[in-house]
Every structure is written in C-alpha cells, then in structure tokens.
Amino acid sequence: MNLRLLVLVFTIIGCLLLGCADIKEEVQSKPISATRPNIILFVADDHGTDALGAYGNNVIKTPNLDQLAREGVRFNNAYCTSASCAASRSVILTGLYGHATGSYGHVHDYHHFSTYDKIKSLPVLLEKEGYATARIGKYHVAPESVYHFQAELKANPRNTVEMAEQCMGVLNSEKPFFLYFCTDDPHRAASTNPGQWDAPNSFGNKVDGYPGVETITYDPAEVVVPDFLPDTKESREEIAQYYQSVSRIDQGFGRLMQMLKESGKADNTIVIYISDNGMAFPGAKTTLYEPGMKLPCIIKDPNSTLKNATSDAMISWVDLTPTILDMAKVDIKEKSFHGRSFKDVLNVKEPKGWDQIYASHTFHEITMYYPMRVVRDKNYKLIRNIAWRMEYPFASDLWAASTWQEVYRGNKEFYGKRRLQDYLFRPEFELFDLKKDPDEMFNLANDPNYKGVMDKMIKKMKDFQIKTRDPWLITWDHDSSLQGTGINL
C-alpha cells in the first residue's frame, strides 16, 4: 500500500471514530473572505437630499451616485439623529445615541466632547471578526482607542478622486475589508472673501480646481432653491458653490466604483452612501427640521433582490452599525445597540414596522447648547426644544453665510417661509403633520384637536429617553431617576 493510500485509510478511520471533528474544524476555519462581504461606507459632509439627481434634482450633475441608485435601493425616509458632524458620526459608528455615549457635540479644538472609552465601535467589532479596516478623510470622532481603524489613508479630503486612488491597497485586501470613506465636501470652507459679507462661501472649491477632477460649475440662476431658504442672489450663489462641491464628490465616488470593479470584488462588496447631516445652511444643519436630518441613503447590496428601487421605510443612523454587522454575518447580541438592523428591508418592497424614528441633539459647537429631542411616528413629528427660552444658537460658519447675512442685515421679516422671529425663538413643543405640512410651518402642539396625539407622542419621547438612559430626562418635572451619583464606581 503506497503512502498516499495509507493516509487516506487512516483519515477515514479517524473520521468514523471521532465524528470527523478535525474535518469539521477545517470547514469552520475556511478563509473568512470566502463567506463575508466587503463593505464600503461612504459619508459626505453636509449633503442633503436637495442636491442629488437620484432624489429629484434635475440641475445637479451626479451621474455616478445616480447609477448607484439604479443598481440598489434609495431610501426616502433616512434620518440622522443629530444634525451635527461629530455627534452624528459617533452614532453612525456605534449604533448608540450621543447622549448615552458622551458624544454631545464637536470633538475638535476647545469643544472637546469625547465618547466614553468603554464603547465598542463598528471598526473595532469588525476587526475582531477578521475584517481589514481602513479609513480615509474626515474622522471627527474621539478617542482613537474607541474608533480604531487598522489603517489610516492620507489624501486631500476635498479631492475625492485623489482619495479614491489611495484606496487601491484596501480594495485588493486578501481579507474582507471595511472602508470608511469620508469627504470634507460639501462642507463650508473659509469664506471666499472674508472682507465682503455678501461673497458666497467657496464650499472648498478652487479657481484652479483639483488634480484629476473636472471642475463643474453651475449658474446661480438655474439652481433649485429649497423652500426653507430665501430665494435671493446670495442664496443662489452659495447653492451654486455647494452644487460644485457635490459634483466633486460624485467624481471621486465614480472613480472608487471603477477601481472596485477592476479589483474583481464588486460582486461581493456592499456600498452605502450617506451624509452626516443636511446642507450647511441655516434652517438645515444643526436643526432637527426635515432639511437638517432627512438625508440621502443609497445602498447597493449585490445579494439584495431589489434593484433600482426605493424604500419608504424610516431608518436612522443609529441603525447603521447593527445593519452593517448583520451584513457582515456577525452575531448581534440583543440590546447591544439602540438601533436595529434593516438588512432585510433591502429585499422587501413594503416593509412593515419601519414607521418610527427618534433623534437627539444637544450641542454643535460648545457655545451652542440647545438640546432637542424628536419623535417621528408615521406622519406626526414632535420636537421638544428643551432650552426653548433661549435664542436659537448659530454655528459660526452658518452665521457668517451670506445667505443668512442678507436677511439679518436687511432686517427682513422672513427667512424662507418661516418668520425670522419664529426661527430664533421657538416654543417648547413643535408638533407637525408632515403629510399635510411637509415644510413644518403649522405647529399643532397647542391645538386642542391634537391633544390625544400630543399625549401619545410625549409618552413615546419619555419612554425613549428612559430606554436610552438620557440624562436630559431630568428636564421633565425634575425627574432625577437617571441621574448619576457623582461618584466614579
């Protein structure tokens, strides 16, 4: 009997005696890349649904993102939980509301908000499961030990084509990979002309452009002015700059998709496109009105049965971490996250049970304390402005925006459809029927015909705060049940 036959005989005998334990172990230790998808999470900075062809804008040029929508699922009711960059990103990467993790506002400079060091973030959990994790561009979360990625790639975050080019090594990884791709576009930049109040912000655009990027400009006369903004020369000029920045994102996204296809991994890669909060204009970013928190979300999952589809399911950025873990075939412990996986929604045209979301905003900059909590239940939306006796605060760049300054300096009565006084001084409760009033103009909170709705929504809000251990529960009748002892245990 030759040696090869002898080994085979002993292997068969061993399997009969031991129940094939060794072979079973071999099956379990198959290369992870053979069973788990790659995942790209592409996050733009201050990009609303107002500036995407796939969401109905016929002026802006976003062919690559529009193609993603044709190949995947576009969500019509996707929401951030806090319309502020750092706070929103902490939720994206933890599946937990910022008020529960200490991620109350901005991380950088003197703001210095930071996530509790015991939190386990998405990249850390995926690395534990054998994923190669990498990030490029805007980070804006802390501490690094909580939001650790194995690789940090370097490129100009305003040049998304250059960013894409730096990701080749990740796309060719032997392991399944998680790529966190975050642009600085279309965030506002330093003013184009700081000495001229009515000069439009550049939104990162440069006269001489960026290497490898086609400069696409827009005529201010042709842009689409959202209803919440004033239709003025200043507003149109700034929107035109904003569009130009978005078109730069689209080109970089297109280059990344081309590289993914060339790597041979497109058929096993889930691609998710979102933004952290709404467009950087007063009335959107930093507010929990719809333009600030209702955002683009386009997902292409090669294994999904739906293509070129839209979904009306209400999803939230607090759902992203559990969803991505579910996509990566990671067992999720019950109650590990405040959100839940919507992976199965990608296969259902009319999913049931996805008609409610919550939001929680506390700070933007540290000088902008204005906590708000939101419940959206079907067509009703309740905002509680906890610091309602204060004037609504401004982010420094939004205050300087020529769009705002034109109204402020001119002592105008209206900012868009809303009275300026109503924008600056808000009631404690704002209740809207979004089906009848999508612009959130008619506050029903004190209408006796809606008392039953108000009572129901307030109960939902309190239950949400209790469930997520929100310290701001104390603002309801001095309820201190969730307050700490002041002692480190």
Side-chain angles (χ1 to χ4, degrees), residues 38 40 171 177 255-266 269 271:
N38 308 302
I40 296 175
L171 300 183
F177 64 79
R255 177 59 183 139
L256 185 66
M257 293 301 99
Q258 179 187 5
M259 291 168 59
L260 178 64
K261 185 176 181 179
E262 291 169 355
S263 75
K265 296 183 178 180
T269 301
V271 181

Side-chain angles (χ1 to χ4, degrees), residues 47-55 57 60 62 65 242-243 246 273 279:
H47 186 194
T49 58
D50 53 274
L52 257 174
Y55 280 89
N57 186 319
I60 197 164
T62 53
L65 290 168
Y242 165 60
Y243 280 13
V246 170
Y273 181 86
M279 66 191 301

Side-chain angles (χ1 to χ4, degrees), residues 53 132 135 164 181 197 314 320 336 411 432 450-451 460:
R135 66 178 176 89
F181 192 109
W197 71 263
M314 287 187 205
L320 283 169
S336 294
N411 293 315
F432 303 108
Y450 290 86
K451 184 180 183 306
K460 284 181 177 292

Side-chain angles (χ1 to χ4, degrees), residues 56-98:
N57 186 319
N58 295 320
V59 175
I60 197 164
K61 297 178 177 65
T62 53
N64 296 297
L65 290 168
D66 297 346
Q67 179 63 30
L68 182 70
R70 286 191 291 271
E71 296 174 351
V73 177
R74 171 173 61 83
F75 285 85
N76 294 323
N77 292 295
Y79 289 87
C80 66
T81 67
S82 179
S84 176
C85 302
S88 181
R89 289 164 192 267
S90 76
V91 177
I92 290 169
L93 292 177
T94 65
L96 302 168
Y97 290 96

Side-chain angles (χ1 to χ4, degrees), residues 18-37:
L18 300 176
C20 296
D22 291 339
I23 293 179
K24 184 177 181 181
E25 178 63 26
E26 184 179 335
V27 171
Q28 289 178 339
S29 60
K30 284 196 309 183
I32 190 172
S33 59
T35 59
R36 292 187 172 179

